Short mmCIF file of all heavy atoms in Angstrom, two decimals:
data_model
loop_
_atom_site.label_atom_id
_atom_site.label_comp_id
_atom_site.label_asym_id
_atom_site.label_seq_id
_atom_site.Cartn_x
_atom_site.Cartn_y
_atom_site.Cartn_z
N ALA A 1 115.86 116.21 81.16
CA ALA A 1 114.84 116.56 80.18
C ALA A 1 113.97 115.36 79.85
O ALA A 1 112.74 115.48 79.74
CB ALA A 1 115.49 117.10 78.91
N ALA A 2 114.58 114.17 79.73
CA ALA A 2 113.81 112.96 79.45
C ALA A 2 112.89 112.61 80.61
O ALA A 2 111.71 112.27 80.42
CB ALA A 2 114.75 111.79 79.16
N SER A 3 113.41 112.71 81.84
CA SER A 3 112.60 112.35 83.00
C SER A 3 111.45 113.33 83.20
O SER A 3 110.32 112.93 83.50
CB SER A 3 113.47 112.27 84.26
OG SER A 3 114.02 113.54 84.57
N ASN A 4 111.70 114.61 83.01
CA ASN A 4 110.64 115.59 83.21
C ASN A 4 109.63 115.57 82.08
O ASN A 4 108.47 115.94 82.27
CB ASN A 4 111.23 116.98 83.39
CG ASN A 4 111.83 117.18 84.78
OD1 ASN A 4 111.12 117.27 85.76
ND2 ASN A 4 113.15 117.22 84.85
N THR A 5 110.05 115.15 80.89
CA THR A 5 109.09 114.93 79.82
C THR A 5 108.14 113.80 80.19
O THR A 5 106.92 113.89 79.97
CB THR A 5 109.80 114.61 78.50
OG1 THR A 5 110.66 115.70 78.15
CG2 THR A 5 108.81 114.39 77.37
N GLY A 6 108.69 112.73 80.76
CA GLY A 6 107.84 111.64 81.24
C GLY A 6 106.88 112.10 82.31
O GLY A 6 105.70 111.71 82.32
N SER A 7 107.35 112.96 83.22
CA SER A 7 106.49 113.50 84.27
C SER A 7 105.35 114.31 83.67
O SER A 7 104.18 114.16 84.06
CB SER A 7 107.31 114.39 85.21
OG SER A 7 108.41 113.70 85.74
N LEU A 8 105.69 115.15 82.71
CA LEU A 8 104.68 116.01 82.09
C LEU A 8 103.63 115.20 81.34
O LEU A 8 102.42 115.43 81.49
CB LEU A 8 105.37 116.98 81.13
CG LEU A 8 104.49 117.96 80.35
CD1 LEU A 8 103.76 118.89 81.31
CD2 LEU A 8 105.32 118.76 79.37
N LEU A 9 104.08 114.22 80.55
CA LEU A 9 103.14 113.41 79.79
C LEU A 9 102.26 112.56 80.70
O LEU A 9 101.08 112.33 80.42
CB LEU A 9 103.90 112.51 78.80
CG LEU A 9 104.62 113.25 77.67
CD1 LEU A 9 105.34 112.25 76.78
CD2 LEU A 9 103.64 114.08 76.85
N ALA A 10 102.83 112.08 81.82
CA ALA A 10 102.05 111.29 82.76
C ALA A 10 100.94 112.13 83.38
O ALA A 10 99.79 111.69 83.50
CB ALA A 10 102.96 110.72 83.85
N LEU A 11 101.27 113.35 83.77
CA LEU A 11 100.28 114.20 84.42
C LEU A 11 99.17 114.61 83.46
O LEU A 11 97.99 114.65 83.83
CB LEU A 11 100.97 115.45 84.97
CG LEU A 11 101.87 115.22 86.19
CD1 LEU A 11 102.67 116.46 86.50
CD2 LEU A 11 101.05 114.81 87.40
N LEU A 12 99.54 114.90 82.21
CA LEU A 12 98.52 115.28 81.24
C LEU A 12 97.76 114.07 80.72
O LEU A 12 96.57 114.16 80.41
CB LEU A 12 99.17 116.02 80.06
CG LEU A 12 99.81 117.37 80.39
CD1 LEU A 12 100.43 117.98 79.14
CD2 LEU A 12 98.79 118.33 80.99
N GLY A 13 98.45 112.94 80.63
CA GLY A 13 97.81 111.73 80.10
C GLY A 13 96.82 111.10 81.06
O GLY A 13 95.88 110.42 80.63
N TYR A 14 97.01 111.32 82.37
CA TYR A 14 96.10 110.67 83.32
C TYR A 14 94.66 111.15 83.17
O TYR A 14 93.75 110.33 82.97
CB TYR A 14 96.58 110.87 84.76
CG TYR A 14 95.72 110.11 85.74
CD1 TYR A 14 95.95 108.76 85.98
CD2 TYR A 14 94.64 110.71 86.38
CE1 TYR A 14 95.15 108.03 86.84
CE2 TYR A 14 93.83 110.00 87.25
CZ TYR A 14 94.09 108.66 87.47
OH TYR A 14 93.29 107.93 88.31
N PRO A 15 94.38 112.44 83.25
CA PRO A 15 92.96 112.86 83.13
C PRO A 15 92.41 112.71 81.72
O PRO A 15 91.20 112.58 81.54
CB PRO A 15 92.98 114.32 83.57
CG PRO A 15 94.36 114.78 83.29
CD PRO A 15 95.25 113.60 83.53
N LEU A 16 93.29 112.73 80.70
CA LEU A 16 92.82 112.69 79.32
C LEU A 16 92.71 111.28 78.75
O LEU A 16 91.82 111.00 77.93
CB LEU A 16 93.73 113.53 78.43
CG LEU A 16 93.83 115.02 78.78
CD1 LEU A 16 94.83 115.71 77.87
CD2 LEU A 16 92.46 115.69 78.70
N LEU A 17 93.59 110.37 79.17
CA LEU A 17 93.62 109.03 78.58
C LEU A 17 93.40 107.92 79.60
O LEU A 17 92.60 107.00 79.37
CB LEU A 17 94.98 108.81 77.88
CG LEU A 17 95.29 109.75 76.70
CD1 LEU A 17 96.71 109.49 76.20
CD2 LEU A 17 94.28 109.56 75.58
N VAL A 18 94.12 107.97 80.71
CA VAL A 18 94.09 106.85 81.67
C VAL A 18 92.76 106.80 82.41
O VAL A 18 92.08 105.77 82.42
CB VAL A 18 95.25 106.97 82.67
CG1 VAL A 18 95.18 105.84 83.70
CG2 VAL A 18 96.59 106.90 81.93
N GLU A 19 92.39 107.90 83.05
CA GLU A 19 91.18 107.91 83.87
C GLU A 19 89.91 107.58 83.09
O GLU A 19 89.08 106.80 83.57
CB GLU A 19 91.04 109.27 84.57
CG GLU A 19 89.90 109.32 85.57
CD GLU A 19 89.80 110.67 86.25
OE1 GLU A 19 90.38 111.64 85.72
OE2 GLU A 19 89.14 110.77 87.29
N PRO A 20 89.70 108.11 81.87
CA PRO A 20 88.46 107.79 81.15
C PRO A 20 88.38 106.35 80.65
O PRO A 20 87.29 105.85 80.39
CB PRO A 20 88.47 108.76 79.96
CG PRO A 20 89.45 109.82 80.31
CD PRO A 20 90.48 109.13 81.16
N ASN A 21 89.53 105.66 80.51
CA ASN A 21 89.54 104.35 79.86
C ASN A 21 89.83 103.18 80.78
O ASN A 21 89.61 102.03 80.39
CB ASN A 21 90.57 104.35 78.72
CG ASN A 21 90.23 105.34 77.63
OD1 ASN A 21 89.19 105.23 76.99
ND2 ASN A 21 91.09 106.33 77.41
N LEU A 22 90.34 103.45 81.98
CA LEU A 22 90.67 102.36 82.90
C LEU A 22 90.09 102.63 84.27
O LEU A 22 90.22 103.74 84.79
CB LEU A 22 92.20 102.20 83.02
CG LEU A 22 92.97 101.70 81.80
CD1 LEU A 22 94.46 101.73 82.08
CD2 LEU A 22 92.53 100.29 81.41
N VAL A 23 89.46 101.62 84.85
CA VAL A 23 89.00 101.75 86.23
C VAL A 23 90.21 101.67 87.14
O VAL A 23 91.30 101.24 86.74
CB VAL A 23 87.98 100.65 86.58
CG1 VAL A 23 86.74 100.77 85.72
CG2 VAL A 23 88.60 99.27 86.43
N LEU A 24 90.05 102.06 88.39
CA LEU A 24 91.18 102.17 89.30
C LEU A 24 91.91 100.84 89.50
O LEU A 24 93.14 100.79 89.60
CB LEU A 24 90.72 102.72 90.65
CG LEU A 24 90.47 104.23 90.70
CD1 LEU A 24 89.85 104.63 92.02
CD2 LEU A 24 91.78 104.98 90.48
N VAL A 25 91.17 99.75 89.55
CA VAL A 25 91.80 98.44 89.74
C VAL A 25 92.75 98.14 88.60
O VAL A 25 93.89 97.69 88.80
CB VAL A 25 90.73 97.34 89.87
CG1 VAL A 25 91.39 95.97 89.92
CG2 VAL A 25 89.88 97.57 91.12
N HIS A 26 92.31 98.40 87.37
CA HIS A 26 93.15 98.15 86.22
C HIS A 26 94.31 99.14 86.14
O HIS A 26 95.42 98.78 85.72
CB HIS A 26 92.32 98.20 84.94
CG HIS A 26 91.31 97.10 84.84
ND1 HIS A 26 90.19 97.16 84.02
CD2 HIS A 26 91.24 95.89 85.46
CE1 HIS A 26 89.49 96.05 84.14
NE2 HIS A 26 90.10 95.27 85.02
N GLN A 27 94.06 100.39 86.54
CA GLN A 27 95.15 101.36 86.58
C GLN A 27 96.27 100.88 87.50
O GLN A 27 97.46 100.97 87.16
CB GLN A 27 94.62 102.70 87.09
CG GLN A 27 93.69 103.43 86.14
CD GLN A 27 93.17 104.72 86.75
OE1 GLN A 27 93.83 105.34 87.59
NE2 GLN A 27 91.98 105.14 86.35
N SER A 28 95.89 100.38 88.66
CA SER A 28 96.88 99.91 89.62
C SER A 28 97.66 98.72 89.09
O SER A 28 98.88 98.61 89.29
CB SER A 28 96.18 99.56 90.94
OG SER A 28 97.13 99.24 91.93
N LYS A 29 96.97 97.82 88.39
CA LYS A 29 97.66 96.65 87.83
C LYS A 29 98.62 97.05 86.72
O LYS A 29 99.73 96.51 86.61
CB LYS A 29 96.63 95.64 87.32
CG LYS A 29 95.85 94.95 88.43
CD LYS A 29 94.85 93.96 87.86
CE LYS A 29 94.08 93.26 88.99
NZ LYS A 29 93.09 92.29 88.45
N VAL A 30 98.21 97.98 85.87
CA VAL A 30 99.10 98.46 84.81
C VAL A 30 100.32 99.15 85.41
O VAL A 30 101.44 98.99 84.93
CB VAL A 30 98.33 99.41 83.86
CG1 VAL A 30 99.29 100.09 82.89
CG2 VAL A 30 97.27 98.63 83.08
N TRP A 31 100.10 99.93 86.46
CA TRP A 31 101.22 100.60 87.12
C TRP A 31 102.19 99.57 87.69
O TRP A 31 103.41 99.74 87.59
CB TRP A 31 100.70 101.52 88.22
CG TRP A 31 101.73 102.52 88.69
CD1 TRP A 31 101.89 103.80 88.24
CD2 TRP A 31 102.74 102.31 89.69
NE1 TRP A 31 102.93 104.40 88.90
CE2 TRP A 31 103.48 103.52 89.78
CE3 TRP A 31 103.10 101.25 90.50
CZ2 TRP A 31 104.55 103.67 90.66
CZ3 TRP A 31 104.17 101.39 91.37
CH2 TRP A 31 104.87 102.60 91.46
N ALA A 32 101.65 98.51 88.30
CA ALA A 32 102.52 97.45 88.84
C ALA A 32 103.34 96.79 87.74
O ALA A 32 104.53 96.50 87.91
CB ALA A 32 101.67 96.42 89.57
N ALA A 33 102.71 96.55 86.57
CA ALA A 33 103.44 95.98 85.44
C ALA A 33 104.53 96.93 84.97
O ALA A 33 105.65 96.49 84.63
CB ALA A 33 102.47 95.67 84.30
#
């Protein structure tokens, strides 16, 4: 349940929060961190 909650929030958060606020280069660096 915890892991799938993370999956769900990641999928919904990407188009709503991540993509509008971070360019791809920064997205990749944050993911690496």
Side-chain angles (χ1 to χ4, degrees):
S3 64
N4 284 290
T5 301
S7 305
L8 179 63
L9 293 179
L11 289 170
L12 295 179
Y14 185 83
L16 299 177
L17 298 175
V18 177
E19 187 180 17
N21 297 298
L22 292 175
V23 297
L24 282 173
V25 174
H26 293 159
Q27 291 177 28
S28 186
K29 290 180 179 179
V30 171
W31 196 94

